[in-house]
Every structure is written in structure tokens, then in C-alpha cells.
Amino acid sequence: MTRHRTQVCIIGSGPSGLLLGQLLHNAGIDAVILDRVGREYILARIRAGVLETGTADLLETAGVGERMRREGLVHDGFEIAHGDALHRIDLKTLTGGRTVLVYGQTEVTRDLMDKRAASGATTIYDAGDVEPHDFEGSSPFVTYVKDGVSHRVDCDFIAGCDGFHGVSRSSVPDRAISTFEKVYPFGWLGVLTDRPPIRDELVYASHPHGFALCSMRSATRSRYYIQCDVNDRVENWSDDQFWAELRQRLPVKIAENLKTGPSIEKSIAPLRSFVSEPMRFGRMFTVGDAAHIVPPTGAKGLNLAASDVHYLFDGLREYYAETSSAGIDAYSGRALARVWNGIRFSWSMTRMLHRFPDDDPFDQRIQATELGHMLSSKNAQASLAENYVGLPY
Ligand code: FAS
Ligand code: PHB
């Protein structure tokens, strides 16, 4: 078994791991990133599309803001479609000037990967059997297998940035962790197509057939979602069937503008709300989807991962620069406070806009009243807006 030594061993080369790795590198703190798959596999996963200001600013601080600022689309608001009406949520006015940036997670990840490769920092892709060890002690290490050779990475800290199905959270003994979960009775069927978006801003649609979302990646590439059955399969949906159902769920006046094209990606994502507490286990921290999951309705998943990274990097920088552990001791509490706000917001937006098959007539009336209040009350919209653009770190 070969042995390496680093200060922080990061498990996962998604946005969490890459962003943390870049911030640490820029601060002169050594980190090794391990991922069980390869770079292209990670880039092929189509995920988030909307960045909060805080996330965009943190990416700029990490040194990957140039293409994001050039190609990202600043959005001052979005629309909610209900019946044949469109209602604009004016984020900029409601939040005193704050906006969001439409720039796909794939591009964020690509920018971070390119930056890391240029920095010469170590990333091990296609690392098998990655496993954290002795993180409850003072000498943690991580083992993995690459090309049939076993390796060990000795480190001061382990950052579990390995997503919902990763190994870090599952390595924590049951006695040391609490979980909270809600699984939604539907999924999102998403399509990516190289056609101009239907509108200049995102459209969230509530319809008797189910929720729909019209998003985008650029002025020539669109991303659409429709709520689907939790057991549905991509094979059940031809492109034409998808476009026909999406059109049905949109107001006529915009549905006729829908520019359809061949799907270049089509996938179904299950929806759940999930939180694991705490987010620190001795010398191992969980970050991003490794610790929490939100339904994508509120565009919070990637953005909560970014605020986790912000808090953890703050703590690690303080530990190495001032030998103070105050920041890493506060990490879990600080991160979870913001995570639970994101969990609540994503749940509330999902509850308001989707069809819940088991809702009784009372539930349906409450949901209609909730949406009606949102569309008629500037105060309610202000609360939605401050959560959507991102609560302060
Ligand atoms: P990630 O899951 O992105 O990255 C984890 C990395 O760890 C992966 O590269 C994986 O290969 C690696 N890994 C896992 N297990 C490992 C092991 N044992 N050893 C080594 N490496 C391991 N968010 C939104 O805001 N909007 C959306 O529309 C949206 N859509 C989504 C659709 C899907 C299908 C999914 C799963 C998530 C979606 N999300 C969305 C949320 C998503 O964007 C996450 O919040 C974001 O990817 C979080 O980034 P990471 O924490 O880095 O986790
Ligand atoms: C996306 O573009 O993928 C996207 C945008 C906003 C959301 C969810 C997904 O709320």
C-alpha cells in the first residue's frame, strides 16, 4: 500500500469538493481530491441551473468567476404560471436590488476542474473503494484502490463532499448521527435542448396535470422539467410526448412560443428533503449533498453546498493560520442553520406548486389558497424573493 500525506483529504470532485479544494489551494492549504468516477462522467450529469449571489461571489473569490460573469445570465425575476395567467416575481425590487445568475452546474464544475488542473493540485479520478478511517481520533486517513494498487492518504481532516450516495455519511456510526427525511410522491422529468428559451426568465407552472419548469442554460440552450410519476421511466417519454405535455401545462400565450428540438439529455430525478445532523464527526466534515438534499424547486441544492463550503473553508483557514479551532467547531451549527432555511423554503415551494396525489379536498383548497395569497401579496412575494436570491451567509 502506497502512502501519501496531505492536510485535507476531500472525497468527491463535484462542486462542493472542487470549490473547497480551490479555496484551500489559494490559501496555501494542501488538499487531495478523490472521486470514484472520471471527469467526463461528472460533467455529463445535468444538475442545477441557478446561482445565488453568494455562490457566484464565492466562485469569483476562488478564481473561477471570469467565464461565469461573461456567459452567466443575470435574472431580476421569474414568473409563476397559474391557469392562463403569468405572475412575475420581481426579485430585484422585492429584495432591494438582489438578483440570481443563471449558469449551469456543469459549467461551474468544468471551470473548477480546469482551475484545479492548472494549479497542479492532486485529484485522483476513478478511485475505487474509497473509505475514511479513524476520523473520530486525531490521525484520520482515507484508503482507496486505483488500477489494482491500494493507497492510503494520511491527513489532518477529511471533507466528505461525496453526495447523497457517498461513503462519508454512511461511515458514521448510527449512534453519532440523526437524519430527517421526506420523500415526495413524484419526480422531475428533465430535458435539455439546443433551442432558445420560451421566455427571458424562468417560468414555474402550477397545473392540474402537474408542475412544470421552463429554465435555460444560455440564449440558445433550454432546460425544461415536468412533474412525473415517482415510478415513471425515461423510456416512457418520447421527445414529442414530453413537448406535448409541457405545452399543456403552460399558459396558451407562451405555449405557442415553445421552440422544441431534439433532447440532448433526458433524465428523471427523484425528489426528497433530507438532512443529517451533525455535519462534523471528529476530524471528518460532511458538505453539500453528502449532508442534505432538497427538492430542486427552489434551486437551493448547489447553493446550500456553496454556503457549507464557505463555513468550512473559513474554519479550516482559521485553524491553519491561527491554530484556532473555533471556526471548525462552529461549522456544523452555522451550516445547519442555513440548511434548514433552505430545506423549509424548498419544501414550501414544492408544496405550493406540485400536484400531490394523496391530497384530500381540504388539502387542495389550502394549496390553492396558499398560491392565491402568494400571487396577490407583495409581502408574501418578498419572503419568497429573499429566500430565492439566498439568505445571507
Ligand atoms: P455531488 O453529488 O454533485 O458530487 C459528489 C461527488 O462525489 C460525485 O462526483 C461522486 O462521483 C463522488 N462520490 C460519490 N460517492 C463516492 C465515493 N464513495 N468515493 C469517491 N467519490 C464519490 N440542484 C439545484 O439547485 N437545481 C437542480 O435542478 C438540481 N437538479 C438535480 C438533479 C439530480 C439528479 C441530482 C442528483 C441533484 C440535483 N440538484 C439540483 C442538486 C445538485 O445540484 C447538488 O446540490 C450538487 O450536485 C451538490 O454538489 P456536491 O455536494 O458536490 O455533490
Ligand atoms: C435548472 O435550470 O436546472 C433549474 C432552475 C431552477 C430550479 C431548478 C432547476 O428551481
Side-chain angles (χ1 to χ4, degrees):
M1 175 177 285
T2 69
R3 293 187 68 153
H4 322 261
R5 170 84 212 168
T6 187
Q7 290 171 293
V8 182
C9 187
I10 299 172
I11 305 177
S13 177
S16 296
L18 289 163
L19 180 53
L20 178 62
Q22 194 56 48
L23 291 167
L24 291 171
H25 176 81
N26 296 349
I29 300 167
D30 189 57
V32 169
I33 297 182
L34 306 173
D35 204 297
R36 65 179 168 188
V37 296
R39 170 190 160 105
E40 292 314 314
Y41 184 97
I42 295 166
L43 291 173
R45 293 186 310 216
I46 306 301
R47 296 263 185 90
V50 173
L51 305 184
E52 296 172 358
T53 311
T55 302
D57 291 349
L58 193 58
L59 288 164
E60 196 146 34
T61 301
V64 291
E66 193 269 330
R67 185 164 78 104
M68 176 189 71
R69 295 295 185 198
R70 187 177 70 245
E71 297 180 9
L73 306 170
V74 176
H75 279 204
D76 296 351
F78 62 82
E79 292 174 303
I80 295 178
H82 180 55
D84 238 12
L86 282 166
H87 305 263
R88 186 160 186 269
I89 305 296
D90 185 347
L91 297 172
K92 192 167 187 175
T93 304
L94 289 163
T95 62
R98 300 187 64 198
T99 59
V100 292
L101 191 69
V102 172
Y103 188 68
Q105 175 174 323
T106 301
E107 303 320 313
V108 169
T109 307
R110 191 191 314 279
D111 293 343
L112 285 164
M113 284 177 169
D114 291 348
K115 186 77 174 178
R116 184 165 182 85
S119 74
T122 304
T123 306
I124 309 290
Y125 288 113
D126 301 311
D129 302 330
V130 175
E131 193 172 347
H133 303 269
D134 292 359
F135 46 84
E136 293 183 307
S138 58
S139 305
F141 62 96
V142 177
T143 55
Y144 67 93
V145 177
K146 172 90 175 176
D147 302 330
V149 177
S150 297
H151 300 265
R152 169 173 165 149
V153 182
D154 291 289
C155 50
D156 301 329
F157 299 102
I158 300 169
C161 301
D162 47 348
F164 183 67
H165 300 290
V167 67
S168 58
R169 190 182 74 248
S170 60
S171 298
V172 176
D174 291 346
R175 60 173 162 72
I177 195 168
S178 303
T179 60
F180 308 81
E181 184 168 38
K182 174 177 283 297
V183 178
Y184 295 89
F186 40 76
W188 277 19
L189 167 60
V191 160
L192 193 66
T193 187
D194 279 333
R195 289 291 185 278
I198 191 170
R199 298 281 282 183
D200 292 341
E201 296 177 330
L202 274 59
V203 181
Y204 291 80
S206 167
H207 186 275
H209 284 197
F211 169 83
L213 171 59
C214 304
S215 184
M216 63 195 76
R217 292 294 180 270
S218 70
T220 58
R221 177 166 285 192
S222 300
R223 178 72 170 164
Y224 294 102
Y225 298 95
I226 58 173
Q227 172 184 346
C228 65
D229 185 276
V230 68
N231 299 311
D232 213 337
R233 301 171 57 80
V234 172
E235 302 76 57
N236 298 337
W237 290 86
S238 68
D239 286 1
D240 289 346
Q241 287 168 316
F242 177 85
W243 296 126
E245 184 57 35
L246 175 63
R247 268 203 190 88
Q248 289 224 20
R249 299 188 188 186
L250 298 174
V252 171
K253 65 183 173 187
I254 64 169
E256 58 202 15
N257 298 337
L258 181 62
K259 294 180 178 53
T260 65
S263 58
I264 54 177
E265 193 271 354
K266 193 188 292 181
S267 55
I268 291 180
L271 270 62
R272 77 176 75 237
S273 297
F274 174 84
V275 183
S276 55
E277 296 182 352
M279 290 171 58
R280 179 197 186 176
F281 309 93
R283 286 183 169 256
M284 182 170 77
F285 306 94
T286 51
V287 185
D289 277 20
H292 43 76
I293 294 283
V294 284
T297 324
K300 288 298 146 209
L302 175 57
N303 292 298
L304 289 173
S307 50
D308 291 352
V309 168
H310 164 81
Y311 297 130
L312 182 54
F313 170 64
D314 250 5
L316 290 169
R317 178 179 52 187
E318 183 189 61
Y319 174 84
Y320 284 108
E322 300 154 31
T323 62
S324 159
S325 64
I328 54 177
D329 293 346
Y331 164 69
S332 181
R334 290 177 77 191
L336 282 168
R338 193 170 194 275
V339 162
W340 274 108
N341 270 308
I343 291 280
R344 184 211 63 81
F345 173 66
S346 304
W347 167 84
S348 69
M349 230 179 137
T350 302
R351 190 72 193 81
M352 183 171 69
L353 296 172
H354 289 72
R355 294 278 93 43
F356 283 72
D358 298 333
D359 268 5
D360 62 29
F362 175 81
D363 297 328
Q364 290 165 4
R365 282 287 190 279
I366 291 295
Q367 184 187 49
T369 305
E370 177 86 33
L371 182 55
H373 177 64
M374 177 60 68
L375 299 180
S376 59
S377 162
K378 286 301 177 199
N379 291 334
Q381 290 172 24
S383 173
L384 176 74
E386 73 167 350
N387 281 281
Y388 194 88
V389 300
L391 298 177
Y393 282 6

